[in-house]
Amino acid sequence: MRERLQYPPKFKVPVGWFFGCFSEDLSVGEAMPLEAVGQQLVIWRSDDGIAHVHDAFCPHLGAHLGHGGRSDGGRLVCPFHAWEFDPDGSCAAIPYSSRLNKQARLRRYEVDERNGLVMFWWHPAADVGPLWQLGQVTEWDDDDYTEPQRRQWEVAAPWQEIAENALDLAHFPYLHGTGMLPVLDSYEADGPLARVRTTQQYDERAGGAMGRIDTDSYGPGFNIVRFSGIVDTVLIGAVAPIDEMSTRITFSFTVKRASAEAFGSEEAAAAFTEKVGDAFVAEVGRQLEQDVVIWENKAHIPVPALAEGDGPVMQFRRWAEQFYVPTGATESAP
Ligand code: FES
Ligand SMILES: [Fe+2]
């Protein structure tokens, strides 16, 4: 029975690019604490505008650099005794000592900031750099799309249980009341990338229109979801495991602006776009909160009893396996 049931579900922290913070929340010179991937980290922005992520604890006497630390002259300065660290993690100055301590090094994490998100690369082995790159979301810089809206949740469930939800097609009509079962057009995994194409008939409230949901995943921490049919909407799902048992989920959305021609005036088109955008954001939030109750209380069934129409759950699980590496690799971290 033991192999057939894990309650609560147990998964390690996967490797990948994960959410650090929203770009707009990290101003120049600022340092903030970041609890993610089972680590205590500091996320900060140097004077040149570049975002950095390092281990949080100062190698001198252990102050948390995200609580009172700051950037000065391109270096991260510890609040406790003012030791200074370069973005590469090396100790660059000790204000009361003419000699540097070469042992004093902070582990540094690769950062990729785009689409309004500061993402960082996590692998337990410090010498394993990014194994893939993130995608650019062209709609983010497109004036035909609205200013992105954002939402954030912390959920007491592991990443894998949450991510499986998108491939679990049969739950949509029953848990979320979304009308008919979505139809899987294709599921393609290509190393860390996965592409899912589904067709969905919206329910009566949305006039029964047919729509598409196209999802591109770049490893476990970054998904681009494009919805079309009623109005074109792009959602970036950026997540970070907080630890093995909890996950930070963020959504950023942008909606394609309705055209003035179709609505008779700029004002009518803008009002429509805003209404649709707000309804979409509310709907995604409503669905997520329904899922949370399931996620936080469910078991993981390694060999599930599946039925036709369930969606590519097992393909997803095979894809997910590649992101778990032996945690023993942590020992090679400095
Ligand atoms: S603990 Fe950071 S400088 Fe002393
Ligand atoms: Fe769901």
Side-chain angles (χ1 to χ4, degrees):
M1 205 48 201
R2 221 176 228 166
E3 307 76 46
R4 296 193 48 81
L5 181 74
Q6 289 169 13
Y7 176 80
K10 288 184 184 58
F11 291 96
K12 301 274 180 243
V13 169
V15 304
W17 287 102
F18 294 114
F19 175 80
C21 69
F22 289 104
S23 293
E24 62 189 4
D25 289 346
L26 186 64
S27 28
V28 170
E30 191 181 8
M32 305 193 298
L34 169 62
E35 189 180 3
V37 297
Q39 312 292 314
Q40 298 295 330
L41 307 172
V42 55
I43 186 163
W44 61 287
R45 197 184 287 288
S46 48
D47 303 4
D48 54 7
I50 296 175
H52 310 275
V53 174
H54 288 95
D55 274 346
F57 298 119
C58 180
H60 177 219
L61 286 167
H64 192 305
L65 293 156
H67 290 280
R70 68 196 156 82
S71 162
D72 194 359
R75 293 175 181 160
L76 179 62
V77 184
C78 180
F80 207 2
H81 314 91
W83 288 28
E84 298 178 14
F85 296 89
D86 271 335
D88 70 0
S90 59
C91 178
I94 301 173
Y96 52 88
S97 167
S98 55
R99 289 183 56 184
L100 289 178
N101 183 329
K102 292 252 160 45
Q103 307 304 318
R105 261 197 98 75
L106 289 171
R107 180 173 171 187
R108 165 188 171 266
Y109 299 85
E110 210 65 53
V111 168
D112 184 341
E113 181 169 16
R114 57 173 115 182
N115 310 309
L117 302 164
V118 182
M119 304 289 293
F120 70 97
W121 170 256
W122 163 251
H123 191 288
D127 54 358
V128 180
L131 300 172
W132 65 90
Q133 300 303 322
L134 294 176
Q136 180 67 35
V137 184
T138 51
E139 291 89 341
W140 245 241
D141 306 313
D142 185 339
D143 290 340
D144 288 347
Y145 282 78
T146 57
E147 281 301 304
Q149 296 201 49
R150 52 186 248 195
R151 292 291 181 279
Q152 181 169 335
W153 296 266
E154 289 189 359
V155 176
W159 161 76
Q160 185 168 326
E161 289 292 310
I162 296 167
E164 187 172 287
N165 198 261
L167 290 312
D168 170 0
L169 301 182
H171 89 288
F172 285 96
Y174 303 103
L175 182 65
H176 301 313
T178 53
M180 286 168 64
L181 225 58
V183 176
L184 180 73
D185 297 329
S186 63
Y187 178 94
E188 284 169 35
D190 176 11
L193 310 184
R195 290 181 201 89
V196 188
R197 301 291 177 259
T198 59
T199 311
Q200 160 101 60
Q201 179 162 24
Y202 291 102
D203 67 12
E204 296 309 312
R205 288 171 294 171
M210 292 302 288
R212 304 195 46 74
I213 302 178
D214 297 332
T215 304
D216 294 340
S217 297
Y218 293 74
F222 186 84
N223 307 289
I224 306 168
V225 190
R226 291 187 170 86
F227 299 82
S228 54
I230 300 173
V231 69
D232 291 350
T233 303
V234 185
L235 179 159
I236 299 178
V239 310
I242 299 169
D243 54 28
E244 294 181 354
M245 281 309 296
S246 60
T247 306
R248 186 172 297 120
I249 304 173
T250 74
F251 289 158
S252 313
F253 318 74
T254 179
V255 178
K256 189 167 188 184
R257 295 180 200 280
S259 75
E261 273 162 37
F263 284 85
S265 72
E266 289 285 348
E267 293 71 36
F272 175 80
T273 303
E274 192 181 328
K275 191 169 143 229
V276 169
D278 290 352
F280 183 85
V281 170
E283 174 61 12
V284 172
R286 183 188 73 87
Q287 291 195 18
L288 186 126
E289 277 146 34
Q290 292 172 325
D291 285 322
V292 166
V293 181
I294 302 287
W295 295 333
E296 292 191 339
N297 296 289
K298 76 187 293 297
H300 178 67
I301 312 287
V303 186
L306 294 171
E308 203 182 327
D310 267 331
V313 171
M314 297 314 281
Q315 286 102 307
F316 163 77
R317 290 188 182 183
R318 280 194 291 279
W319 177 75
E321 268 169 32
Q322 68 184 299
F323 304 114
Y324 299 108
V325 298
T327 45
T330 309
E331 265 96 72
S332 70

